[in-house]
Amino acid sequence: MCELLGMSANVPTDICFSFSGLLERGGNTGPHKDGWGITFYEGKGCRTFKDPEPSCQSEIAKLVKAYPIKSVSVISHIRQGNRGRVCLENTHPFTRELWGRELTYAHNGQLSNYHDLKPEYYRPVGNTDSELAFCWLLDQIREKYPKRPANMASVFRYAAKLAHTLREKGVFNMLLTDGVYVLAYCTNNLHWITRRAPFGKATLIDADMVVDFQQETTPNDVVTVIATRPLTNDERWQKMEAGEFALFKMGELI
């Protein structure tokens, strides 16, 4: 299985600490060595870094780890391939345009009997069940909402409803964002934590790294991190239940 990492914050925030822990699981402390990727949103734009190499030894990953890009919405993924070969086009996250906005998605799990998913407008570039499911999901959203609705939260709630259908085909843990909202959907393994004042220290599970968030934040900061498995060993993470979804905006659960 792959692993997911997401962030929603009320101020531009770097994800270097959490990303450092995730990287180690990509071939060092974990078996997810079939590529990695991360997408950062900055205003209406987003920048994506991907590499089919294991994240623990990727030079591009080292660059991202050392380059504190600040964003309010981030999605990252490390891959343990089961559908589709190990190559750049099969590396998550995947991004598509909808209503003039870039939507980014990453999936953890494996689907079966998914060949009845036949998207018409959005087409996969690679050959994974994950990207096919993303294209189908966006097709369904586009059909229900031909124009961008005033209330984007309703779009993400509908996406969660569609995720229920995909979960019937296997394991479907998902992160989806438009750079404002971040949706987390759980089938079997997803956790989240919201950090706010008073901030404290945290220690990574997978790397010898400690951060004192009080030194890195202001009292008004709110940052939520979502991960397949908890990344720190001295904080209380919320475990999601099967079929549960959580929608975040500006770091807050809405």
Side-chain angles (χ1 to χ4, degrees), residues 43-77:
K44 291 184 178 180
C46 63
R47 65 174 88 190
T48 298
F49 300 86
K50 292 185 183 183
D51 193 352
E53 296 296 316
S55 60
C56 70
Q57 63 188 46
S58 166
E59 293 299 321
I60 302 173
K62 292 177 184 177
L63 167 68
V64 175
K65 178 181 174 181
Y67 182 23
I69 299 172
K70 293 185 180 295
S71 174
V72 295
S73 298
V74 178
I75 285 183
S76 185
H77 180 278

Side-chain angles (χ1 to χ4, degrees), residues 10-252:
N10 67 341
V11 292
T13 304
D14 77 68
I15 199 171
C16 294
F17 177 69
S18 297
F19 186 63
S20 297
L22 184 74
L23 290 185
E24 296 301 315
R25 297 178 180 180
N28 188 7
T29 61
H32 316 90
K33 57 182 176 55
D34 298 326
W36 68 275
I38 189 168
T39 297
F40 302 87
Y41 277 80
E42 300 170 60
K44 291 184 178 180
C46 63
R47 65 174 88 190
T48 298
F49 300 86
K50 292 185 183 183
D51 193 352
E53 296 296 316
S55 60
C56 70
Q57 63 188 46
S58 166
E59 293 299 321
I60 302 173
K62 292 177 184 177
L63 167 68
V64 175
K65 178 181 174 181
Y67 182 23
I69 299 172
K70 293 185 180 295
S71 174
V72 295
S73 298
V74 178
I75 285 183
S76 185
H77 180 278
I78 52 174
R79 184 176 183 227
Q80 185 179 15
N82 49 51
R83 305 279 192 203
R85 65 189 182 92
V86 177
C87 58
L88 189 60
E89 63 265 29
N90 286 337
T91 304
H92 306 223
F94 302 108
T95 300
R96 296 288 192 280
E97 178 273 335
L98 179 63
W99 309 309
R101 189 82 183 185
E102 302 279 6
L103 267 69
T104 298
Y105 151 105
H107 165 231
N108 161 31
Q110 184 173 344
L111 304 181
S112 301
N113 301 318
Y114 56 87
H115 297 291
D116 60 334
L117 301 177
K118 299 184 182 297
E120 296 182 4
Y121 185 81
Y122 294 95
R123 301 295 179 89
V125 176
N127 59 346
T128 63
D129 54 338
S130 301
E131 189 184 15
L132 177 64
F134 180 40
C135 291
W136 175 84
L137 187 147
L138 288 182
D139 256 25
Q140 301 302 306
I141 293 174
R142 190 170 182 267
E143 182 177 343
K144 182 175 177 63
Y145 299 99
K147 296 182 180 180
R148 179 185 173 94
N151 180 14
M152 278 297 293
S154 65
V155 174
F156 284 91
R157 293 189 186 98
Y158 182 58
K161 182 178 179 181
L162 295 170
H164 289 315
T165 300
L166 293 168
R167 185 167 75 97
E168 294 174 357
K169 298 180 179 295
V171 176
F172 191 75
N173 301 297
M174 173 190 73
L175 294 178
L176 177 70
T177 185
D178 66 344
V180 178
Y181 293 90
V182 177
L183 172 68
Y185 182 89
C186 177
T187 289
N188 65 347
N189 205 6
L190 207 55
H191 299 75
W192 61 271
I193 185 171
T194 298
R195 299 181 178 122
R196 64 175 81 240
F199 293 97
K201 295 182 179 181
T203 307
L204 287 178
I205 295 172
D206 299 272
D208 185 15
M209 190 172 179
V210 181
V211 67
D212 184 352
F213 289 114
Q214 189 171 2
Q215 303 300 318
E216 308 291 334
T217 57
T218 73
N220 297 322
D221 291 3
V222 179
V223 181
T224 292
V225 175
I226 308 142
T228 297
R229 294 182 291 130
L231 293 164
T232 57
N233 58 18
D234 45 9
E235 296 181 292
R236 182 176 296 178
W237 291 70
Q238 304 290 323
K239 179 175 174 57
M240 297 179 67
E241 300 298 327
E244 180 185 357
F245 76 90
L247 183 59
F248 302 92
K249 181 182 181 183
M250 304 291 285
E252 299 283 6

